[in-house]
Amino acid sequence: MSIPSVKLNNDFFIPILGLGTWQSKPEEVTAAVAYALKETPLRHIDCAFGYGNEKDVGAGIAASGVPRSDIFITSKLWGTWHSRVEECLDQTLANLGTDYLDLYLVHWPVPLNPNGNHPLIPLLPDGKRDVDHSWDIKDTWKQMEAMVKKGKVRTIGVSNFSEMNLEKILPTAEIIPAVDQLELHVYNPQHKLLKYLYSKGIRPQAYSPLGSTGSPLFKDETVTELATKYGLQPADVLIGYLIAKDIVTLPKSVTPSRIAANVSGGLAALAKLQPADIEKLDGLAASGKQKRFIMPPWPVDLGFENWG
Ligand SMILES: NC(=O)C1=CN([C@@H]2O[C@H](COP(=O)(O)OP(=O)(O)OC[C@H]3O[C@@H](n4cnc5c(N)ncnc54)[C@H](OP(=O)(O)O)[C@@H]3O)[C@@H](O)[C@H]2O)C=CC1
Ligand SMILES: O=C[C@H](O)[C@@H](O)[C@@H](O)[C@H](O)C(=O)O
């Protein structure tokens, strides 16, 4: 069993399935990453400086014994570092124990005060997130581009960028973002934004593909009906739906049996789901089930539909 890869706009390939690591506890994630790399065909790990567990992810990569060149590693620039991209990246590289990333993303299009009252989420006296309104995200992108030129990252992209925010960086971009990592699943398919991304050559990546922690998606009637029909688990249908649409998908688990099942089941669903099934799943949100699960309290408009 091998996991298909898809081509990015810089001609590099990315495995269509990766292992998510957000909210994976440091004491669990080392074993989870080592297991994924050693015992399953997964060769793609999605990390972030903001997750606070990169050192533990790095320990898992090292423990797996899988050569660095066989692994696709993504990490993300946190908001307090928008004006200091290389400094954030250097910490990430040291944490993960590597000298390059395959993919580096701007985590959110919101620069945060680098000199505020917290290193990750500084708050103002009124409790709102302390946004650095003086910083322009097109300059964050310039610094991201410089990291490609220096050879510290192979590919750059964005995350949580709507069309409105992409339009802020594209006019001056020398490198078009290769991906936009977004909340994508059957209840939040973002069809309109995906159409825009494809028109620009930007590949969508699906985060929270299972509906994140405590997900209601496993009990959705259409999802469970399809799972029963094809002898699959609901998680398989949720993953198969996205990869059938060629969307790079990042299920998270720290449970070995689930890490393995999300690969074998996701690929089984890819083989079994029919165009009519995909169409049905594509229509769930519009049938009244539209729902986002990841909505941090940013005090600025991100330009997304169905936010809040
Ligand atoms: N760019 C961004 O802003 C964001 C990026 N992400 C990325 O996407 C990844 C995935 O998203 P995430 O929000 O973590 O959520 P997911 O949709 O991947 O869901 C993870 C949850 O589902 C459980 N789970 C995993 N597999 C199964 C299964 N087969 N059956 C039942 N339950 C299962 C996990 O439990 P357990 O671990 O206990 O097995 C965990 O509670 C993140 O880890 C991160 O890497 C996520 C959110 C935002
Ligand atoms: O990648 C995961 C998410 O983006 C996560 O990093 C944010 O939602 C963060 O917890 C926040 O509160 O802003």
Side-chain angles (χ1 to χ4, degrees):
M1 181 181 33
S2 71
I3 296 174
S5 287
V6 289
K7 209 180 198 181
L8 299 171
N9 63 10
N10 61 354
D11 290 343
F12 281 99
F13 281 83
I14 182 168
I16 198 145
L17 279 175
L19 179 72
T21 62
W22 181 40
Q23 295 178 324
S24 297
K25 295 194 184 86
E27 62 275 18
E28 293 174 333
V29 77
T30 301
V33 168
Y35 174 85
L37 294 173
K38 255 166 75 171
E39 307 296 340
T40 85
L42 280 168
R43 293 290 178 273
H44 170 185
I45 314 288
D46 184 75
C47 318
F49 181 81
Y51 298 168
N53 59 7
E54 281 185 324
K55 274 193 184 151
D56 312 280
V57 171
I61 293 171
S64 76
V66 173
R68 169 70 185 89
S69 54
D70 289 355
I71 309 172
F72 191 103
I73 306 179
T74 301
S75 190
K76 314 187 191 87
L77 171 83
W78 187 249
T80 35
W81 300 85
H82 271 227
S83 57
R84 303 169 293 164
V85 171
E86 191 164 11
E87 267 182 66
C88 191
L89 173 60
D90 283 347
Q91 294 178 73
T92 280
L93 293 173
N95 286 341
L96 293 169
T98 183
D99 56 6
Y100 74 96
L101 293 179
D102 297 277
L103 177 61
Y104 197 41
L105 307 179
V106 181
H107 202 147
W108 289 90
V110 190
L112 292 168
N113 184 354
N115 304 307
N117 68 356
H118 189 276
L120 291 180
I121 306 196
L123 300 176
L124 291 169
D126 65 2
K128 291 205 173 108
R129 291 184 177 198
D130 189 357
V131 173
D132 182 359
H133 293 283
S134 71
W135 186 258
D136 191 327
I137 54 172
K138 74 174 170 19
D139 296 322
T140 312
W141 191 250
K142 283 282 143 217
Q143 293 193 14
M144 294 289 285
E145 291 175 331
M147 296 304 95
V148 178
K149 290 174 193 159
K150 272 198 159 178
K152 291 190 176 188
V153 303
R154 292 196 165 158
T155 312
I156 50 176
V158 296
S159 177
N160 298 299
F161 273 54
S162 62
E163 177 173 343
M164 175 188 91
N165 277 318
L166 277 160
E167 289 295 332
K168 289 182 189 161
I169 64 169
L170 288 180
T172 51
E174 285 174 67
I175 301 176
I176 303 298
V179 312
D180 190 356
Q181 188 179 116
L182 298 164
E183 181 176 338
L184 291 173
H185 47 69
V186 289
Y187 285 4
N188 193 44
Q190 307 205 59
H191 297 304
K192 199 170 149 216
L193 178 56
L194 263 49
K195 209 169 158 201
Y196 168 81
L197 295 180
Y198 293 131
S199 78
K200 301 287 175 189
I202 302 170
R203 196 173 264 288
Q205 276 190 316
Y207 78 60
S208 306
L210 305 174
S212 206
T213 314
S215 173
L217 303 184
F218 298 123
K219 294 208 166 86
D220 178 87
E221 214 175 59
T222 307
V223 171
T224 54
E225 268 171 27
L226 288 170
T228 305
K229 178 174 169 192
Y230 294 120
L232 299 164
Q233 295 301 313
D236 307 337
V237 173
L238 296 170
I239 294 168
Y241 162 70
L242 292 161
I243 59 179
K245 289 153 69 77
D246 262 358
I247 294 175
V248 177
T249 302
L250 307 166
K252 171 264 180 184
S253 179
V254 290
T255 313
S257 57
R258 288 175 173 174
I259 295 172
N262 288 344
V263 177
S264 55
L267 294 177
L270 173 67
K272 290 180 178 175
L273 289 170
Q274 298 300 307
D277 303 325
I278 303 296
E279 206 175 307
K280 210 169 176 185
L281 293 166
D282 263 342
L284 281 190
S287 74
K289 291 183 167 171
Q290 167 62 45
K291 189 161 177 54
R292 279 179 185 271
F293 301 107
I294 311 299
M295 284 180 292
W298 300 112
V300 290
D301 176 21
L302 296 186
F304 283 118
E305 280 183 346
N306 303 306
W307 184 279

